[in-house]
Amino acid sequence: MTTIFVKLIANAVALAAAVWLVNDITIGEPGESTGGKAVTLLIVALIFGVVNLVVKPVVKLFALPLLILTLGLFTLVINALMLLLTDWLSGDRFEVEGFGSAVLGGLIISIVSWAVNLILDRD
């Protein structure tokens, strides 16, 4: 149970970092309060976690030849696609404008979630 909670918090912090660093990634409505944006961020982090748990392994399996050919760099494209899928599933609450922003956001989310998992997951 704590592992799920740690992953949810890591995804939320990583998504918040991507929203903060990339101008074309937005969360929440324009006039929404900070508490409302925090709840939206947790919901989007949960959606992102489910997408990464269910869809990403299947996509990686089908993209295995490209991953081998590019020495793993195609993972950036897969991460961007997972972020765009999260955008589509979350509706108007989370927006990613363009594939370039999704690639940059996916890179930021990967680095930040790795760092947060490293800090929080102390077994």
Side-chain angles (χ1 to χ4, degrees), residues 42-115:
L42 287 175
I43 292 169
V44 171
L46 185 63
I47 293 170
F48 187 66
V50 170
V51 165
N52 279 335
L53 182 68
V54 176
V55 178
K56 192 173 182 178
V58 175
V59 172
K60 277 188 164 184
L61 179 66
F62 286 124
L64 190 60
L66 280 173
L67 287 168
I68 293 170
L69 185 65
T70 62
L71 301 175
L73 287 176
F74 193 71
T75 305
L76 292 172
V77 174
I78 293 172
N79 289 343
L81 293 174
M82 296 305 109
L83 195 59
L84 288 171
L85 181 61
T86 303
D87 170 24
W88 181 70
L89 289 173
S90 64
D92 293 338
R93 296 294 192 141
F94 179 68
E95 296 291 328
V96 180
E97 301 295 327
F99 187 72
S101 298
V103 170
L104 185 58
L107 181 63
I108 292 169
I109 289 170
S110 296
I111 293 169
V112 172
S113 69
W114 169 77

Side-chain angles (χ1 to χ4, degrees), residues 11 23 25 71 89 122:
N11 280 339
N23 289 332
I25 299 177
L71 301 175
L89 289 173
R122 302 278 180 171

Side-chain angles (χ1 to χ4, degrees), residues 1-6:
M1 184 68 180
T2 58
T3 305
I4 296 170
F5 182 71
V6 167

